[in-house]
Amino acid sequence: MVIANLRHQIQQKMSNSNWPLWEIFIRSKNGLAHKHAGSLHAADAKMAIENARDVYTRRMEGVSIWVVRSADIVASAPADKDFLYDPANNKVYRHPTFYDIPPEVGHM
Amino acid sequence: MENQNLLEKFQRYVDAENKIEAKDWMPDGYRKTLIRQMAQHAHSEVVGMLPEGNWISRAPSLRRKAILISKVQDEAGHGLYLYSACETLGVDRSTLIDELLCGKAKYSSIFNYPTLSWADIGAIGWLVDGAAIVNQVSLQRTSYGPYSRAMVRICKEESFHQRQGYEIMIALAKNGNAAQKKMAQEAFNRWWWPALMMFGPSDANSPNSAQNMAWKIKRHSNDELRQKFVDMTVPQAEYVGLTIPDKDLKWNEETGHYAFGEIDWTEFNEVVKGNGPCNKQRLQTRNAAHEKGTWVREAAMAYAQKQSERQKVSAA
């Protein structure tokens, strides 16, 4: 009985310590977009922001923090690289340097 | 009545060249102006696909066709960047699109002109995108962060749009035969004045400009930007042998700028009011496209819902 109780307590403690993972995005100054800084574990969004403040902005790195549960991020698979990006490979005409503009007419 | 202290603080913040971000406090007028301007800008990108789309199936070579498809595709993306940036201000994209479709919202008047020949595609890339770039380069420094970032991305992508247009004009007006030269000059005559109108009313008749400049939503006045465009474009026209359809156009040694004739503001106002050559056609096309796409939007949502219900069942 005592052992079962203890086991229950330990299990409880372990699941409590498995806080979800959060991805942290920091805006270094107004005018710039939030940029991925790293990740951390936290029990909820409020704690994630507080911890992100402590972990990622100790040296004034940021003016704004976004936290997103890592589980909510859907990422493309590395193996899909070819079919995702190959179509852009042969479209050099999307770049301005593809076109010859005579120097006489100035910058364009 | 907004708190005077907040307004003053906001003004000082903007005066010091700081950017405003979505969650920052901002005056109601600032928010309203931005929503209107960014939505108009987004609508212009979307409606702007129509005059050029008209020539995709009739481009003179596979090369030109691939380029034109890419350009029109970019415009769709630019519309998306701008709608998204606008949504950061708390407005819903579907509301904005509804306002476009019912004719309440405005978009750039230039897209209410027809593309009668292939040379018009050259003229649009060179002049219309050229004028848009002059405006957008200036807007890269607008005080609202999400708008400014959208402009940076758009300017980077748009450089090829103008160059491909000018390349078409070189082929027709400089290197083409007599008929091609004529076609290029006619297209140039059609687009020159509407391109100048793209910068909006003259400063004297632009009542909201002063406040927008003070808030640094706008960074240069309509007339300043128009002058910049004229100064850049005249030598480009001369290089390919096109004549500017303006008898008053003259280099002014003193000012270091080209002087040019009076814009026909009656025409401008008529097109803004909805009486341009293609206003009705453009809105009809957009409405038809939106209606035809309804089942696609609904089917995608239904599919997503079904998938998530299936996942719930298999998880249980």
Side-chain angles (χ1 to χ4, degrees), chain B residues 28-90:
Chain B
D28 283 344
Y30 181 84
R31 186 184 299 273
K32 270 190 204 137
T33 302
L34 271 172
I35 290 175
R36 199 191 62 237
Q37 181 173 332
M38 289 162 77
Q40 278 181 12
H41 201 154
H43 300 328
S44 303
E45 300 283 353
V46 170
V47 178
M49 290 191 278
L50 301 178
E52 289 181 294
N54 183 31
W55 279 91
I56 288 178
S57 62
R58 290 174 286 154
S61 69
L62 187 57
R63 179 182 182 274
R64 294 286 185 210
K65 182 171 177 159
I67 291 169
L68 189 56
I69 289 173
S70 259
K71 177 181 188 301
V72 172
Q73 191 183 12
D74 273 0
E75 310 299 1
H78 296 173
L80 187 144
Y81 303 159
L82 285 159
Y83 283 126
S84 305
C86 200
E87 283 189 304
T88 63
L89 290 163

